[in-house]
Amino acid sequence: MTITPPALSVFETVESEVRSYCRGWPAVFDRAQGARLTDEDGHSYLDFFAGAGSLNYGHNNPVLKRALLDYLERDGITHGLDMATTAKRAFLESFQNTILRPRDLPYKVMFPGPTGTNAVEAALKLARKVKGREAIVSFTNAFHGMSLGSLAVTGNAFKRAGAGIPLVHGTPMPFDNYFDGKVPDFLWFERLLEDQGSGLNKPAAVIVETIQGEGGINVARPEWLRALKALCERQDMLLIVDDIQMGCGRTGAFFSFEEAGITPDIVTLSKSISGYGLPMSLCLFNPELDVWSPGEHNGTFRGNNPAFVTATAALDTYWADGGMEKQTTARGEQVEQALLAICDENSAYGAHYRGRGLAWGLEFSDPQRATAVCARAFELGLLLETSGPQSEVVKLLPPLTITPDELDEGLRTLARAVRETA
Amino acid sequence: MTITPPALSVFETVESEVRSYCRGWPAVFDRAQGARLTDEDGHSYLDFFAGAGSLNYGHNNPVLKRALLDYLERDGITHGLDMATTAKRAFLESFQNTILRPRDLPYKVMFPGPTGTNAVEAALKLARKVKGREAIVSFTNAFHGMSLGSLAVTGNAFKRAGAGIPLVHGTPMPFDNYFDGKVPDFLWFERLLEDQGSGLNKPAAVIVETIQGEGGINVARPEWLRALKALCERQDMLLIVDDIQMGCGRTGAFFSFEEAGITPDIVTLSKSISGYGLPMSLCLFNPELDVWSPGEHNGTFRGNNPAFVTATAALDTYWADGGMEKQTTARGEQVEQALLAICDENSAYGAHYRGRGLAWGLEFSDPQRATAVCARAFELGLLLETSGPQSEVVKLLPPLTITPDELDEGLRTLARAVRETA
Amino acid sequence: MTITPPALSVFETVESEVRSYCRGWPAVFDRAQGARLTDEDGHSYLDFFAGAGSLNYGHNNPVLKRALLDYLERDGITHGLDMATTAKRAFLESFQNTILRPRDLPYKVMFPGPTGTNAVEAALKLARKVKGREAIVSFTNAFHGMSLGSLAVTGNAFKRAGAGIPLVHGTPMPFDNYFDGKVPDFLWFERLLEDQGSGLNKPAAVIVETIQGEGGINVARPEWLRALKALCERQDMLLIVDDIQMGCGRTGAFFSFEEAGITPDIVTLSKSISGYGLPMSLCLFNPELDVWSPGEHNGTFRGNNPAFVTATAALDTYWADGGMEKQTTARGEQVEQALLAICDENSAYGAHYRGRGLAWGLEFSDPQRATAVCARAFELGLLLETSGPQSEVVKLLPPLTITPDELDEGLRTLARAVRETA
Amino acid sequence: MTITPPALSVFETVESEVRSYCRGWPAVFDRAQGARLTDEDGHSYLDFFAGAGSLNYGHNNPVLKRALLDYLERDGITHGLDMATTAKRAFLESFQNTILRPRDLPYKVMFPGPTGTNAVEAALKLARKVKGREAIVSFTNAFHGMSLGSLAVTGNAFKRAGAGIPLVHGTPMPFDNYFDGKVPDFLWFERLLEDQGSGLNKPAAVIVETIQGEGGINVARPEWLRALKALCERQDMLLIVDDIQMGCGRTGAFFSFEEAGITPDIVTLSKSISGYGLPMSLCLFNPELDVWSPGEHNGTFRGNNPAFVTATAALDTYWADGGMEKQTTARGEQVEQALLAICDENSAYGAHYRGRGLAWGLEFSDPQRATAVCARAFELGLLLETSGPQSEVVKLLPPLTITPDELDEGLRTLARAVRETA
């Protein structure tokens, strides 16, 4: 495939220098369907990126699209703040019946604003209010968002520096496997909590991702998550699972923490919750934590009703039974086989992989390699993003609805890109 | 009109206690068109609220709706992060040609995430980075958002308390007319800046709304805004105008600061920029401030392409010439006449009004009265919100596209609600 | 008098660049008595500086000296942390009998460490603990100390910048006469407190100096202090009077706030409390505020017993009756006469003066003039310091025990220095 | 010995509840000489506490006393701020000749105010200014002082809570042996620094005690200190050794870090620097760090000249040769023998000891035991303090000048107190 340098002029002249994805993928995209995007020159790209996990059901999923078009055509409420609407009611009922009840989850549902960072900010506010403490513990290489509250519990030094003020009230602890098993889990964390002379401000809550998507596809083991939950209970801290990227079926089950068998105190959801790439997020919490006063947290776009419509359609279509979870597990095995083969072939380059469900990472000993692989993959028509503090990991996040053939095609392209960047 | 108590059960049982609008307006809304909403029981409501200023072109505006349906039907890119897309290009070109160039505004355009608070967080980060200082000056009764960075420059004590941590790095200054003209403008602020012993941390920037929508429809005079701009220049501070609620034509001109003839260093836009109630926001700034590194600020829903499509349609439809501005001015005069009559009739209750364009506030000496008026108006089929630190102001924000007859109907309902709550 | 350039070598080579007084007074001082110092070359200097207010009873006051020598000779406890000692008991009894009881002050006495900033840190901690709030209000041009807690409520921008971190939790308000009477007292402060939308974090306490010594000898009127006390009561804030420089008789009465007839909630004392220039400080507070747990605040040199001995001697000698206060008032009138004459003579230079008791300031319209006057005075054998944010004020702080003749001599030297720098 | 309950009334009625030592030692002390104090009833106490390390040369050391009396008698300057004085020059010359030059230490000397916390505050300010960063790393169970800057790097939760504001900008790391050797030294710390995604704000400096006196006599190994110094150099952080309690010969050599062969960037000294229990402290730093502007940090009692006089006498008397160091080592061995015997005798109670020079700790498995031992020792006429986060360690800090017989007497009393509290 040959790619004509696209006419990026208005992006270069008018859009801020802060733009990033468009630099690595120099194309002007026009339309998309399922696992494929098409640029304005008619080139087609297979998508192993899925809107950074926002398009678990693929681009413009036809079932969701039909529901959305019907809703818009009949002039359903578009913008509703936190007014009661029929679309919101349908979503709440579907979420309760399809997701919460079958899993025995007692959560109250908060619409904190339509982005992930809105949900994280709300979760942190609530934890601080409930516990009357300011400190939050996060983990190395965590990513929770770009507004000041979320950024203070995010690990990346470059993004933190963007704050322009010292970020405080957060303390990082080692994520699972940070020392490759050489140090007992939570040794440092628990000792700091128990030692009245440690200097650690007692945390209101711990915020964790079960798999760190931006941090390099670092996978927490179920036993580590269970031990973390137990530690939180022993030490009177709330456990917040940020399931923004790994929830909504990305790891197989609807919530990524189901495998570990834990019930977090607070859960944040966003990205694929609307199912159609429309901005929406949720903050879920145990009912006894619902100490909010009316309007204590608010936001203009909390009631993005078109997103409720596609969200409801996604839940009803994909989560009424266990089919989606089984399919994701099967697709994940297909990915794992391919990554195993790539790593075997590239063992000289220290290649190794990790992941779960349909979230996988491929790392090389040379941190530059991942960027080269993604660049070559783009030339070959495959969208792949890097992650990790040094962009040293190739991240695979295909839509959950990808067909086995498409998946196979993408994995072969990836293998070729790896080979051609050796 | 009689209203059957709506079946709110799932909202009450599953949704968080944080919900607020649905408490004052106990209806389940189903669909909307122009200046009217309809609830599931078929009751119709005239809208003087317009999604808190997010629906300047009315609900489900047919021109925007057509563009949106076409885009969705042809599987245009829905979710694009900051990838280049044809929809984003069309928006950037339209924004440049319709808005920036005719006003000689040199701004770069940043997509900071789809909500207003994302835009404010980005603006504050940028100002701090450029100036290398942490402090920001805001104004009494300012409202800038609910994430920690924005909340620290927001005035409302109840919302600030929700943070759960002490909010720092912000200092409030008196907004225009805070002392009813008895103290010279900026006397305190400038003295603090000039006095090396004042104890004020030198600010990176000043953030201001030209009309404080949440703060009580407090209107800054053009000369006050000009003096503020001059003060910022003298004292090497950036001026950020938060035009999230008052921009997009709400006050007449596209930007609310045009009347004052100033060019802020940074501008935030959101709410009505998409025109259809879809989440979208912009951060605009002078090109020499565009010191962002790629990806230094990011966010999942920056590229809400359906919003770009409706935004482009709105700009092309309403801002190609000066018609919208003239119409808003005319409608504003119609509102002012009606408010004048209400205040004359209610002079015994200390009623007075203020506003500009189609943003108006009606205040009574008894702070409880505004809530009573809005409650009665709801019963009479009119949506009206209160604002101000004690909810003491009835806020009028009808769609800009409202017809003179609808406007007249609503104003008569308002007058009746005032009368019936005396 | 001619002055040989002193051999400063070890100061220049070994002592840090942070040193300051020794730069303006390039002499190596050797001994002192009463109101006079003598340098190693035998030059004598009259002292209108008094250790920045630490030597109200003159250098090496013979009564205090005798008590100190006796105590040291008999091997009295020198260093006692907060152990009970006979010297501490004598001090507490004397302080209670001589100072507290006659003034009907119910204070508990805390020894927070021997420096002023220790006392301010303790006062702020206590206020925050009692009220459960973080914010403190201070005043323009306040000076409270150099450790981080005290520095955050200090006005001077140069000293604040030395912190190396953003100083937070403090908000400055205008000191008395900041706007020359053009703005009603506390207009801004009270409005911020009453307006729930003002953005001011509700303060735990207000900290104030009755005369700002470092800030330029800014004198608060008694009615302003009374209004401040009343405001604190209305708004549930504690009033802290920092009497470190202006207490111990500097303004006439033992406490500088006596003239205003107010009883602050917390008072800090230091500088002249030991009477001999020995490090000592006190934090006094209403007994219902004594919620400290044992050891919650501590410090190695809280029990500087030699200072207790000289402090007791000073109280017993000078404060058993009202003689000292009357004498200070008389000496103050002598100073005022002289300053009036100087200002009359220099009215063309915009000279004016202000002060109370034996704390006076002389200011010229040219801010450089004060430094020139002090430099010339030094050459003429008179020690005088500048104060104010631009060092624009000549500060007169002679020992309270200075004789009328010495005072006259110094005032004549000052008049000459003013004349010779015109 | 029988002890009459002392008349504590004025302490109980007038002094604040914050007092602590006087609660454990209910006596009113009157005079002291060498290693012995006498209360007002004539009871004598042997001192294994030495003013928390402020009386290394014993109470009212006769050589220092003579120098002090002579100075006071001849009316030497008592209070000098940072004016040049003959007493300060003598001290600086002695400190340079006796301490700095023989150790090849190039330090500049700053007088930051007379208490330890003043010195720590100055050290932190300087480090932040030099590096342009806010964050400081401290260690578990560190103690650095009670003013806000020092408290933020202190570990004790009870003392931290006293701040009344969240303490920020500090992060604790594990002190040597925190995990009993099971985790490699600095594994966590260095990994956080190297990982750009760790979330640790890059520190300006690390502050450490070589032996944590308040933290429980935790002794850092020389190799650990060397590795820390090397880590600081690799990672561009300044190393601050807080030698306030362990300096001035407490561990044998004048500086406690000499044994490790490192040269910290900044050193704080206080407590025994004056030698006589008089308030004095120093901040020492490499000359290239001396970027202070004149007066950027100041304080009223920086020039406590009587302390300079005793300090000079102490240096000249005890540090002109290596005799003091050898003697301390010998006395330390005497202590170690006795503690070994006590632990052998009490092995059933999990007794163990640790220390170096004349700083020793004795810990039992039952944390209450230490308090009981100290209480019984007091009854037996021996002053002993506890330390550690739970007061679980008996701390031995006898004067360095104690005689072998006195030391033996105290150690036998300690053994008896241990025995009698079993």
Side-chain angles (χ1 to χ4, degrees), chain D residues 105 133 153 174 177-178 191 260 295 307 324 339 394 408 412 416:
Chain D
L105 293 170
R133 302 176 208 136
V153 292
N177 271 314
Y178 198 60
R191 181 70 189 278
M324 175 56 99
L339 292 178
V394 177
D408 186 53
R412 278 184 287 113
R416 180 175 160 196

Side-chain angles (χ1 to χ4, degrees), chain D residues 200-233:
Chain D
L200 181 76
N201 293 334
K202 170 107 182 170
V206 175
I207 185 164
V208 70
E209 301 153 279
T210 62
I211 300 181
Q212 296 182 319
E214 299 306 303
I217 307 293
N218 305 313
V219 184
R221 290 162 300 143
E223 56 267 36
W224 186 85
L225 290 168
R226 281 191 294 271
L228 177 59
K229 173 65 180 156
L231 176 62
C232 288
E233 285 174 8

Side-chain angles (χ1 to χ4, degrees), chain B residues 320-342:
Chain B
D321 60 31
M324 175 57 98
E325 180 170 354
K326 275 189 206 126
Q327 177 181 306
T328 299
T329 304
R331 296 280 189 283
E333 285 163 10
Q334 190 180 346
V335 174
E336 189 165 16
Q337 291 300 318
L339 292 178
L340 178 60
I342 290 171

Side-chain angles (χ1 to χ4, degrees), chain D residues 108-320:
Chain D
K108 296 292 285 286
V109 175
M110 176 185 182
F111 299 90
T115 72
T117 201
N118 296 140
V120 171
E121 294 267 347
L124 297 179
K125 280 185 183 181
L126 186 63
R128 285 164 164 150
K129 180 173 185 181
V130 166
K131 291 296 177 193
R133 302 176 208 136
E134 298 88 5
I136 303 287
V137 158
S138 58
F139 290 95
T140 49
N141 290 294
F143 182 92
H144 298 293
M146 286 292 106
S147 49
L148 282 192
S150 306
L151 193 52
V153 292
T154 288
N156 191 285
F158 163 62
K159 300 215 187 282
R160 291 174 71 82
I165 57 168
L167 294 172
V168 296
H169 304 306
T171 304
M173 289 291 152
F175 192 71
D176 192 15
N177 271 314
Y178 198 60
F179 299 109
D180 301 321
K182 284 181 218 139
V183 178
D185 296 344
F186 306 112
L187 176 71
W188 173 231
F189 191 5
E190 184 146 29
R191 181 70 189 278
L192 283 183
L193 290 166
E194 283 177 353
D195 180 354
Q196 289 304 298
S198 72
L200 181 76
N201 293 334
K202 170 107 182 170
V206 175
I207 185 164
V208 70
E209 301 153 279
T210 62
I211 300 181
Q212 296 182 319
E214 299 306 303
I217 307 293
N218 305 313
V219 184
R221 290 162 300 143
E223 56 267 36
W224 186 85
L225 290 168
R226 281 191 294 271
L228 177 59
K229 173 65 180 156
L231 176 62
C232 288
E233 285 174 8
R234 275 199 307 280
Q235 296 285 352
D236 184 34
M237 306 179 296
L238 296 177
L239 179 62
I240 305 169
V241 169
D242 180 341
D243 229 12
I244 289 172
Q245 189 164 91
M246 293 302 152
C248 300
R250 175 52 60 187
T251 66
F254 185 81
F255 292 110
S256 72
F257 53 79
E258 292 180 45
E259 189 187 359
I262 60 169
T263 301
D265 300 291
I266 305 179
V267 179
T268 57
L269 279 181
S270 184
K271 293 205 189 266
S272 276
I273 184 64
S274 82
Y276 207 73
L278 302 178
M280 176 175 169
S281 88
L282 299 178
C283 186
L284 314 174
F285 35 79
N286 279 320
E288 66 269 22
L289 303 180
D290 193 10
V291 298
W292 290 111
S293 297
E296 193 172 0
H297 178 94
N298 63 18
T300 295
F301 295 114
R302 282 166 295 163
N304 186 14
N305 281 258
F308 298 161
V309 168
T310 54
T312 305
L315 295 179
D316 293 350
T317 305
Y318 294 103
W319 296 99

